[in-house]
Amino acid sequence: MTLLSSHLLVFSAVHHRAPPTTTTRNSPTTNHTVRFLCSPGVPPAVRLDQRLPRFVVPGAGAEDLLYNAGATVGVLGGGYALVRAFDELTRRNILQQGLSRKLVHILSGLLFLVSWPIFSNSPKARYFAAFVPLVNCLRLLVNGLSLASDEGLIKSVTREGDPLELLRGPLYYVLILILSALVFWRESPIGVISLAMMCAGDGIADIIGRRYGSMKIPYNEHKSLAGSMSMLVFGFLVSIGMLYYYSVLGHVQLDWASTLPRVAFISFVATLVESLPITKVVDDNISVPLATMAVAFFTFHH
């Protein structure tokens, strides 16, 4: 779930010129906050005020298949290395198991999100990307059902070391990764913000809340003001950072003056949902991203 090694990052910037008879610098623009840039095999002509993805790789044929397969293997290897690294740090008592588990929660999803531009511009590229969390989903099912036993996996992603825990929060987590890749992919800010809030926002809330969470929320004694405030701030900052990353690469264009308050509102709603006393009914790895998706959809499309 990390970026591929440098030999996979051989991209070339592609610059398209719009036909002079149909495009001028005075062409009218829309008032939409977000422009979604499609990236099938051959990009269409665009206005001068638009940008295409900076990194474009083959979009069809065997070359595209091999490229995406290589990207998938690289991201899978990176994700495996990440979990193993934190497992080793925990084994050597450099990190506590609880902190290690939350760092894996934060980094694995964000690095998966960062890796999306590595895949090609083919419409099928999202399926190769979704294969990465799908493999982890199968691992969780196999170990959660005790069909196999991977002690490193169990220690790195569970609270109590119970394999059945793999079938709850961790499983919901990878299912949300799959959903975001397949439904939203790189063309929409909705999936980007949802994963940022679930991974960074919720993850940081737990770390800060456990250390500095003496002051509890009045309506939920299991949540703290420090944790909720950190989720709001870090969730917002990481969301903006990820949107900027995709904007720089040309996958989405944003009107930042209106995007910033919208993302702030979405972050507030996600934080409010995370603070509710419903964890025993609905896991945070379901409630936070789904609430974020719903609010982001109505915020960016209305």
Side-chain angles (χ1 to χ4, degrees), residues 245 248 255 288:
Y245 169 70
V248 167
D255 174 12
V288 170

Side-chain angles (χ1 to χ4, degrees), residues 105-227:
H105 173 99
I106 294 169
L107 294 176
S108 59
L110 292 182
L111 293 177
F112 174 62
L113 181 59
V114 168
S115 75
W116 287 359
I118 294 175
F119 294 86
S120 80
N121 285 349
S122 166
K124 298 179 180 179
R126 69 182 67 200
Y127 300 107
F128 284 89
F131 184 76
V132 175
L134 177 61
V135 170
N136 289 316
C137 178
L138 296 176
R139 289 182 65 204
L140 292 173
L141 288 173
V142 168
N143 285 274
L145 296 173
S146 297
L147 301 177
S149 181
D150 185 338
E151 292 299 326
L153 173 67
I154 295 172
K155 288 181 179 179
S156 62
V157 300
T158 63
R159 295 177 185 269
E160 306 295 335
D162 182 1
L164 289 177
E165 288 185 52
L166 299 175
L167 303 178
R168 296 191 287 272
L171 181 61
Y172 305 148
Y173 182 91
V174 296
L175 289 176
I176 291 296
L177 296 182
I178 295 172
L179 176 68
S180 297
L182 293 179
V183 176
F184 301 108
W185 195 221
R186 298 177 297 216
E187 293 84 9
S188 170
I190 298 174
V192 174
I193 299 173
S194 300
L195 294 188
M197 292 305 303
M198 179 183 74
C199 300
D202 185 41
I204 289 293
D206 187 78
I207 294 175
I208 300 298
R210 290 180 184 275
R211 290 202 172 194
Y212 309 103
S214 58
M215 186 176 296
K216 303 300 181 180
I217 296 176
Y219 53 84
N220 188 353
E221 63 180 9
H222 299 291
K223 303 287 184 176
S224 67
L225 289 175

Side-chain angles (χ1 to χ4, degrees), residues 276-290:
L276 296 176
I278 59 175
T279 304
K280 293 184 179 180
V281 179
V282 182
D283 192 274
D284 288 343
N285 287 339
I286 293 180
S287 61
V288 170
L290 291 185

